[in-house]
Amino acid sequence: VTELAAGPVGAAARVAVVGGTPVPLTTTWPVRRPRPYAQRLGAAAGLHTGQRVLDLLFPVARGSSAAVPGGFGTGKTVLLQQIAKWCDADVIVYVGCGERGNEMADVVADLAALEDPRTGRRLSDRTVVIANTSNMPMMAREASIYTGVTVAEYFRDMGLHVVVIADSTSRWAEALREFASRTGTLPAEEGYPAGLASALAAFYERAGDVVTLGGRRGSVTIVGAVSPAGGDMTEPVTAHTQRFVRAVWLLDRDLAYARHYPAVAWAGSFSRDAEPLAAWHAERGDPGWARRRERVTALLADADRLTALADLVGLGALPGAERVVLLAGRLLREAVLQQSALNPNDAHCSPAKGAALLDAVLAVVDRCDALVAAGTPAAALEATDFGVLVRAARETDPDDVDGVGERLAETLALLGEPA
């Protein structure tokens, strides 16, 4: 260090000279160029979002990427806002790209009013909002995505874990298409430029868990919303995005219209991070996480198949064991996967409580299987009031594992009574 400033200085002033290099308080960086790092690491830790359907079935690792495709009215914005409010990142960069101005105003107001459960301060204190609403210039919309990820890399270089939420990448792609049309670029599929896939790949490639040039460890996780026109999941932006992300949280219109929120479809969603994160959960004291997840996804798939069959032949024509599978699917949906953003107990959920809820439902399903095998009519089990278990998520605190256990004991006591 050959020079060091003293006293108050301006934002653009030089504060030191280190090894002959001036060190200002501000730096200039092209937003379309990724900031350098020393080493990229693999998926080693999970990102807790506070949303049970994501954390239990379709997890994403720190430094990974996820897409949220869904048609109009399926709840993309609310789900992304919930992730921004409750995920365990150090910094949130929320990019409103082509969204309505009133939605962005709601985001800013909510973040300023809510308390961060980790620090006790306002959630807005750890959030950067980049607003490029639908009435702003086309090129501002195109640059907003790159600006958001560059800001995230800036905080990553400090050794922080950052989540970038882009709502939505479809509006960004539309800006690319409009710009390509004005410049006379040869159009490709549906008028998008031929470089759309490369642009999407380059954007999501900037996510990662890295060792910085300064030797610290930080990460950038990217969550991008996709708004396919007419809910067409085969359109270019959705199709290309699914190739480059590690997780897809597909929002289903039928679930949304049935008031099942978050409307994440277990049939069309996936996570490539689930397998590496199983070892991480085992190291943190939950060795049964992978087995539990596999059983739940299998039960949900079987319940969907049997629901279609029951619509054809009638519920009474199914054997008792299959009717228990239908009951299991209903309990999983109502007691675990549904989550209310308006309920203070249910707006977010700790990993321990989410695992307890899932274990409680599976324990009840096992008890029902045993009763049916012993000769109890399936209709008697279907007539049982499982309200105590279904309401457990909403009536217990976000970290209340003991409360879930008490409601499980009450439910098992009901099943233990003679039919």
Side-chain angles (χ1 to χ4, degrees), residues 57 68 74 80 102 141 154 160 176 186 188 198 213 220 265 267 292 294 314 320 325 345 395 408 416:
L57 299 185
V68 188
T74 54
L80 293 176
N102 59 342
R141 191 188 317 167
Y154 169 77
L160 301 175
L176 291 177
L186 187 66
S198 298
L213 295 179
V220 172
R292 186 192 305 121
E294 290 174 2
V325 173
N345 287 334
E395 294 180 351
L408 170 61

Short mmCIF file of all heavy atoms in Angstrom, two decimals, residues 57 68 74 80 102 141 154 160 176 186 188 198 213 220 265 267 292 294 314 320 325 345 395 408 416:
data_model
loop_
_atom_site.label_atom_id
_atom_site.label_comp_id
_atom_site.label_asym_id
_atom_site.label_seq_id
_atom_site.Cartn_x
_atom_site.Cartn_y
_atom_site.Cartn_z
N LEU A 57 -39.66 -31.68 -2.63
CA LEU A 57 -39.75 -32.49 -3.84
C LEU A 57 -38.83 -32.02 -4.96
O LEU A 57 -38.26 -32.85 -5.67
CB LEU A 57 -41.20 -32.48 -4.36
CG LEU A 57 -42.26 -33.06 -3.43
CD1 LEU A 57 -43.61 -33.09 -4.13
CD2 LEU A 57 -41.88 -34.45 -2.95
N VAL A 68 -39.43 -21.11 -13.72
CA VAL A 68 -40.81 -21.21 -13.25
C VAL A 68 -41.73 -20.89 -14.42
O VAL A 68 -42.17 -19.75 -14.58
CB VAL A 68 -41.08 -20.26 -12.07
CG1 VAL A 68 -42.46 -20.53 -11.47
CG2 VAL A 68 -40.00 -20.39 -11.02
N THR A 74 -51.50 -18.37 -12.96
CA THR A 74 -51.07 -19.57 -12.23
C THR A 74 -50.26 -19.24 -10.98
O THR A 74 -49.90 -20.15 -10.24
CB THR A 74 -50.24 -20.48 -13.15
OG1 THR A 74 -49.17 -19.73 -13.73
CG2 THR A 74 -51.11 -21.05 -14.26
N LEU A 80 -42.66 -16.26 -6.74
CA LEU A 80 -41.34 -15.63 -6.76
C LEU A 80 -41.18 -14.64 -5.61
O LEU A 80 -40.10 -14.52 -5.02
CB LEU A 80 -41.12 -14.93 -8.10
CG LEU A 80 -41.01 -15.85 -9.31
CD1 LEU A 80 -40.90 -15.04 -10.59
CD2 LEU A 80 -39.83 -16.79 -9.19
N ASN A 102 -47.83 -1.77 -11.00
CA ASN A 102 -48.45 -1.99 -9.69
C ASN A 102 -47.91 -3.23 -9.00
O ASN A 102 -47.82 -3.29 -7.77
CB ASN A 102 -49.98 -2.07 -9.83
CG ASN A 102 -50.42 -3.19 -10.75
OD1 ASN A 102 -49.62 -3.69 -11.54
ND2 ASN A 102 -51.68 -3.59 -10.66
N ARG A 141 -35.34 -2.87 -20.88
CA ARG A 141 -35.83 -4.19 -20.48
C ARG A 141 -34.79 -5.26 -20.81
O ARG A 141 -34.56 -6.17 -20.02
CB ARG A 141 -37.13 -4.49 -21.22
CG ARG A 141 -37.88 -5.70 -20.71
CD ARG A 141 -39.05 -6.05 -21.60
NE ARG A 141 -39.81 -4.88 -22.03
CZ ARG A 141 -40.71 -4.89 -22.99
NH1 ARG A 141 -40.96 -6.02 -23.64
NH2 ARG A 141 -41.36 -3.80 -23.32
N TYR A 154 -21.38 -9.01 -8.02
CA TYR A 154 -20.67 -8.04 -7.18
C TYR A 154 -20.76 -8.45 -5.71
O TYR A 154 -19.75 -8.46 -4.99
CB TYR A 154 -21.26 -6.65 -7.40
CG TYR A 154 -20.81 -5.60 -6.42
CD1 TYR A 154 -19.55 -5.01 -6.54
CD2 TYR A 154 -21.64 -5.19 -5.39
CE1 TYR A 154 -19.15 -4.03 -5.64
CE2 TYR A 154 -21.25 -4.23 -4.48
CZ TYR A 154 -19.99 -3.65 -4.61
OH TYR A 154 -19.59 -2.69 -3.72
N LEU A 160 -20.77 -13.57 -0.37
CA LEU A 160 -22.18 -13.70 0.01
C LEU A 160 -22.90 -14.66 -0.92
O LEU A 160 -22.45 -14.91 -2.05
CB LEU A 160 -22.87 -12.33 -0.02
CG LEU A 160 -22.26 -11.26 0.91
CD1 LEU A 160 -22.95 -9.93 0.69
CD2 LEU A 160 -22.39 -11.69 2.37
N LEU A 176 -35.59 -8.88 -27.02
CA LEU A 176 -34.60 -9.34 -27.99
C LEU A 176 -35.23 -9.48 -29.37
O LEU A 176 -34.63 -9.10 -30.39
CB LEU A 176 -34.02 -10.69 -27.56
CG LEU A 176 -33.12 -10.73 -26.32
CD1 LEU A 176 -32.72 -12.17 -26.02
CD2 LEU A 176 -31.90 -9.86 -26.51
N LEU A 186 -32.18 -11.72 -39.36
CA LEU A 186 -33.00 -12.80 -39.91
C LEU A 186 -33.71 -13.52 -38.77
O LEU A 186 -33.07 -14.03 -37.85
CB LEU A 186 -32.11 -13.78 -40.68
CG LEU A 186 -32.85 -14.88 -41.46
CD1 LEU A 186 -33.65 -14.26 -42.60
CD2 LEU A 186 -31.85 -15.89 -42.01
N ALA A 188 -35.78 -16.34 -36.56
CA ALA A 188 -35.84 -17.81 -36.44
C ALA A 188 -37.24 -18.19 -35.98
O ALA A 188 -38.22 -17.53 -36.32
CB ALA A 188 -34.76 -18.30 -35.49
N SER A 198 -28.53 -19.29 -27.35
CA SER A 198 -27.21 -18.93 -26.83
C SER A 198 -27.31 -17.85 -25.76
O SER A 198 -26.59 -17.89 -24.75
CB SER A 198 -26.32 -18.44 -27.97
OG SER A 198 -26.12 -19.47 -28.92
N LEU A 213 -11.84 -14.54 -6.52
CA LEU A 213 -10.43 -14.20 -6.70
C LEU A 213 -9.77 -13.83 -5.37
O LEU A 213 -8.55 -13.95 -5.22
CB LEU A 213 -10.29 -13.05 -7.69
CG LEU A 213 -10.73 -13.35 -9.13
CD1 LEU A 213 -10.57 -12.11 -10.00
CD2 LEU A 213 -9.94 -14.51 -9.71
N VAL A 220 -24.20 -17.46 -6.74
CA VAL A 220 -25.31 -16.78 -7.40
C VAL A 220 -26.28 -17.86 -7.87
O VAL A 220 -25.90 -18.75 -8.63
CB VAL A 220 -24.84 -15.93 -8.60
CG1 VAL A 220 -26.05 -15.40 -9.38
CG2 VAL A 220 -23.96 -14.79 -8.14
N ALA A 265 -46.83 -28.26 -10.41
CA ALA A 265 -47.28 -29.57 -10.87
C ALA A 265 -46.19 -30.60 -10.62
O ALA A 265 -45.08 -30.48 -11.13
CB ALA A 265 -47.63 -29.51 -12.36
N ALA A 267 -46.22 -33.53 -11.72
CA ALA A 267 -46.05 -34.38 -12.89
C ALA A 267 -45.08 -33.77 -13.90
O ALA A 267 -44.38 -34.50 -14.60
CB ALA A 267 -47.41 -34.62 -13.56
N ARG A 292 -37.76 -40.55 1.48
CA ARG A 292 -39.05 -39.91 1.68
C ARG A 292 -39.52 -39.22 0.40
O ARG A 292 -40.69 -39.33 0.01
CB ARG A 292 -38.93 -38.90 2.82
CG ARG A 292 -40.25 -38.26 3.23
CD ARG A 292 -40.01 -37.08 4.15
NE ARG A 292 -39.22 -37.43 5.32
CZ ARG A 292 -38.05 -36.87 5.61
NH1 ARG A 292 -37.52 -35.97 4.81
NH2 ARG A 292 -37.40 -37.22 6.70
N GLU A 294 -38.68 -39.93 -2.73
CA GLU A 294 -39.04 -40.92 -3.75
C GLU A 294 -40.41 -41.53 -3.47
O GLU A 294 -41.21 -41.73 -4.39
CB GLU A 294 -37.98 -42.02 -3.78
CG GLU A 294 -36.63 -41.57 -4.34
CD GLU A 294 -35.58 -42.65 -4.22
OE1 GLU A 294 -35.92 -43.75 -3.74
OE2 GLU A 294 -34.43 -42.40 -4.62
N GLY A 314 -65.61 -45.62 -11.38
CA GLY A 314 -66.19 -45.33 -10.09
C GLY A 314 -65.28 -45.72 -8.95
O GLY A 314 -64.53 -46.71 -9.03
N GLY A 320 -59.38 -51.92 -1.94
CA GLY A 320 -59.09 -51.08 -0.79
C GLY A 320 -57.71 -50.45 -0.82
O GLY A 320 -57.54 -49.28 -0.47
N VAL A 325 -54.33 -45.32 -1.64
CA VAL A 325 -53.41 -44.49 -2.42
C VAL A 325 -54.09 -43.16 -2.79
O VAL A 325 -53.47 -42.09 -2.73
CB VAL A 325 -52.95 -45.23 -3.67
CG1 VAL A 325 -52.13 -44.31 -4.58
CG2 VAL A 325 -52.11 -46.45 -3.29
N ASN A 345 -48.40 -18.34 9.85
CA ASN A 345 -47.79 -19.62 10.22
C ASN A 345 -47.38 -20.44 9.00
O ASN A 345 -46.51 -21.31 9.11
CB ASN A 345 -48.77 -20.45 11.06
CG ASN A 345 -48.94 -19.91 12.47
OD1 ASN A 345 -48.04 -19.26 12.99
ND2 ASN A 345 -50.08 -20.16 13.06
N GLU A 395 -51.87 -24.11 11.65
CA GLU A 395 -52.15 -23.82 13.06
C GLU A 395 -50.91 -23.92 13.95
O GLU A 395 -51.01 -23.66 15.16
CB GLU A 395 -53.23 -24.77 13.58
CG GLU A 395 -54.59 -24.54 12.90
CD GLU A 395 -55.66 -25.49 13.41
OE1 GLU A 395 -55.28 -26.43 14.15
OE2 GLU A 395 -56.83 -25.30 13.07
N LEU A 408 -50.34 -35.51 14.83
CA LEU A 408 -50.20 -36.87 14.31
C LEU A 408 -50.73 -37.88 15.33
O LEU A 408 -51.44 -38.83 14.97
CB LEU A 408 -48.73 -37.16 13.99
CG LEU A 408 -48.39 -38.62 13.66
CD1 LEU A 408 -49.16 -39.09 12.42
CD2 LEU A 408 -46.89 -38.78 13.46
N GLY A 416 -57.15 -45.58 15.44
CA GLY A 416 -57.05 -46.75 16.31
C GLY A 416 -58.38 -47.18 16.87
O GLY A 416 -58.50 -48.29 17.40
#
